[in-house]
Amino acid sequence: MERNGWTPTACYQCKAECAILVRVEDGVVKEIKGNPKGRGKACVKGMAGVSLQYNPDRLTHPLKRVGKRGEGKFERISWDEAMDIMADKLTDLKERGEAHKFTASFFPHSITDPKWRFLDAYGGFINTALPHCDSAKILSFIKAMGGVPNHHIPPAFDTVPKGGIMIMAGRHAFGCLDDAAVPRDILNAKERGAKLVVIDPLFTADAAKADWWIPIKPAGDTALFLGMINHIVTNELYNKKFVENWIREGDFDKLKEYIADKTPQAMSVICDVSAKNIVKLADMCAAAPSVGIDSFKGIMLGQAMDFGHAWTMLLAVTGNIDNPGGQPLPSLTPMSPVEPIPTGPDLSELGWHRTGPNRDMFDNYGFIMEPTWYEAQAIKDDGLKMLLVSECNPAMTEMGQDEWRKAVCMAGEGDEEYKLELMVSYELMLSETSKYADLVLPDKSYFERWELMYMPWWYNFGQGILLRQPVVEAAGECRHSNEVFIELGKRLTPEYFDFKDDLEFYDIQLAGLGLSVEKLLEMGGIWTTGTMGFRKYEQAGGFGTPSGKVHLYWEDLEAVDQAMPRPGLAAEYEVDVDKYPFILVSYRTIFHQGSGQWTHNNPQLRDPVSGMYDNPVLINTAKAVELGIANGDVITLRSRTGEVQARAKLSERIRPDCLGLHHGFGSTIGRVAVTGDGVSDNALIPDSGSTLEWQDMVGGESHVSTRVSIV
Ligand SMILES: Nc1nc2c(c(=O)[nH]1)N[C@H]1C(S)=C(S)[C@@H](COP(=O)(O)OP(=O)(O)OC[C@H]3O[C@@H](n4cnc5c(=O)[nH]c(N)nc54)[C@H](O)[C@@H]3O)O[C@H]1N2
Ligand SMILES: Nc1nc2c(c(=O)[nH]1)N[C@H]1C(S)=C(S)[C@@H](COP(=O)(O)OP(=O)(O)OC[C@H]3O[C@@H](n4cnc5c(=O)[nH]c(N)nc54)[C@H](O)[C@@H]3O)O[C@H]1N2
Ligand code: SF4
Ligand SMILES: [Mo]
């Protein structure tokens, strides 16, 4: 392959997958920048892709476990042997009538991913980490407005008018991009006269750029929004035209009644934002030409549907749905189906969650995929027998990571060494999770593979469809997971894999748009509708909800007391307050994506000068002085679940009742990842599967934080 010069493709140093240009010289990746045909930006992680590509820790051939699970001892094997091991186990499960006990856990980049097809054809499950960060929001938007089931759809910041309000409620857009161009768009909107309000217990980079920083108590966001809605509704400041025309009949009266006692004063006690400020923010939102709200962490705390619900209500009463600067509602692009369409496992028979004991607790669970945090529970209950983990690192990202590790190592019965009979890790470099695998498979990097990316969340980002193409030869014997799943499909369910390869599979789907991979290449790898369209519900004659209007009252959730949003903090913050006086705030920075080796084992990003080297515990200066803690002291944090030791970093940037810990550190493998200090927040956070009473059982969102004490 000779591709000298700049080639358009898609970044994958984080899950945003921005459109980039890559410069190759003599078959070597030299430089990366944003693609002006897309959104035109690449971030610091994106540009550090060069160091990922040539990392000496890259896996180059399949490995098989030789020691015990967790020891991390492997020997080299051939691809033929690796494929046989997987095909044999899959055949064995199918013959036992237990195909549904196979789960592939991966980040679902795209609905064009052939891995989904394999799982539907074979009868296995996909689980995903989306229920950590976004499933409740997706469900809330579907319930309220009939939106499409898409991941993170931020406000279209580039459409915010003068005077518009941008609210970041637990969202670190300047550090945690989810699109490298968002900071630029927010700053441009500010230039046009829009206002940025950052609601966060930490003073983040976003807060530094904000017109107003509101240091809320963690999980107080629902209460804050309900207090605002109370003020807006009781003072008749709501958007009367929108409410009259577009809210389902009867719902606004129910809201009025419900909201009556959620006064700014009452809500202030919960969220620790003064009533005066709740009123001020409510007045600002009611008067502004647009309000856009973005959040991730604000909903990742076990009361997710409640916050998602309050969020959609605030948008509805202020009329900020599908308007410039408000909440966009994307439409789906018509891709062609690949015939025949596999039916998928019978979920009504097998249950959304396959494990016995707690299945009834999930009766109201409405998300389309299973949360990864149920893996440990499923293994214990013999509901999960083969797990393939690709592009994720549950040994560090699961709440109660030690519970996951224990479950994966649980002894089996009869001939089986382990309850989980086969564990496969598909990776770029050995990870914490790979240490627990029986098979480790070497993936092609994003510079080495084809991939057709389509997810409606790119809608705002100026990308409809984005092609990832190989720009350099694959390292060693690396094979892309999509190629491997297509081969498994051809072996096990050939009737559904009657196409040559991944490229033909993409061609079939692109035909729906009158495109092909070749045409897309000629167009520079990007296809976009070009326009967004606003208030599409007006032309369409309504919203995608059963009534065609916005639903504020969710009668299907009456039985679980969630027909209206509950204002309280996350359940686990409410107990053992004296024993564990601090709330741990886990958060991200620009230098690392999640916990994984892609950025933590990258010498450009895991670096004291050009990146981030360790994760000290952030503690409020006054509080530290009161406790006799000095900057740099090693302190022990204890929670209900575990204990870690870390260096203290004194700062004015955090509430006195909180401690901050950057998520994702603490790897014990990878020659760069083990340098510097670093602890994993998930050693402290309780396992979600065994603390179901603290989970959002409707939206599937788990708690990604907890209460701690300083020992
Ligand atoms: N660089 C980088 N980019 C990423 C990722 C990454 O790891 N690194 N991860 C990607 C993924 S998977 C996701 S889900 C997103 C996550 O994106 P974000 O949610 O934006 O990221 P976080 O930094 O985890 O959390 C954002 C902020 O929420 C604050 N916060 C914590 N608890 C609360 C609360 O209860 N209420 C409020 N109002 N604020 C709170 C934290 O202090 C933090 O500043 O980022 C995506 N993009
Ligand atoms: N305490 C706490 N826990 C959290 C969170 C939190 O904020 N606090 N955030 C939660 C959230 S929102 C999420 S989404 C999850 C995310 O958790 P995970 O989905 O587990 O994601 P990462 O930690 O980013 O790990 C990704 C892994 O994929 C590997 N990888 C990168 N590129 C490729 C590739 O091309 N091919 C293959 N095969 N592998 C690749 C990387 O090396 C890395 O090891 O974590 C959750 N856990
Ligand atoms: S935000 Fe940065 S790392 Fe993530 S895809 Fe975009 S350029 Fe790559
Ligand atoms: Mo996430």
Side-chain angles (χ1 to χ4, degrees), residues 231-238 240 256:
H231 178 75
I232 289 170
V233 169
T234 50
N235 293 286
E236 307 227 352
L237 303 172
Y238 55 89
K240 301 200 176 65
K256 264 185 169 162

Side-chain angles (χ1 to χ4, degrees), residues 307-329:
F307 181 51
H309 197 165
W311 176 353
T312 50
M313 277 178 167
L314 183 60
L315 291 173
V317 298
T318 54
N320 280 291
I321 297 176
D322 219 24
N323 56 322
Q327 179 57 48
L329 284 185

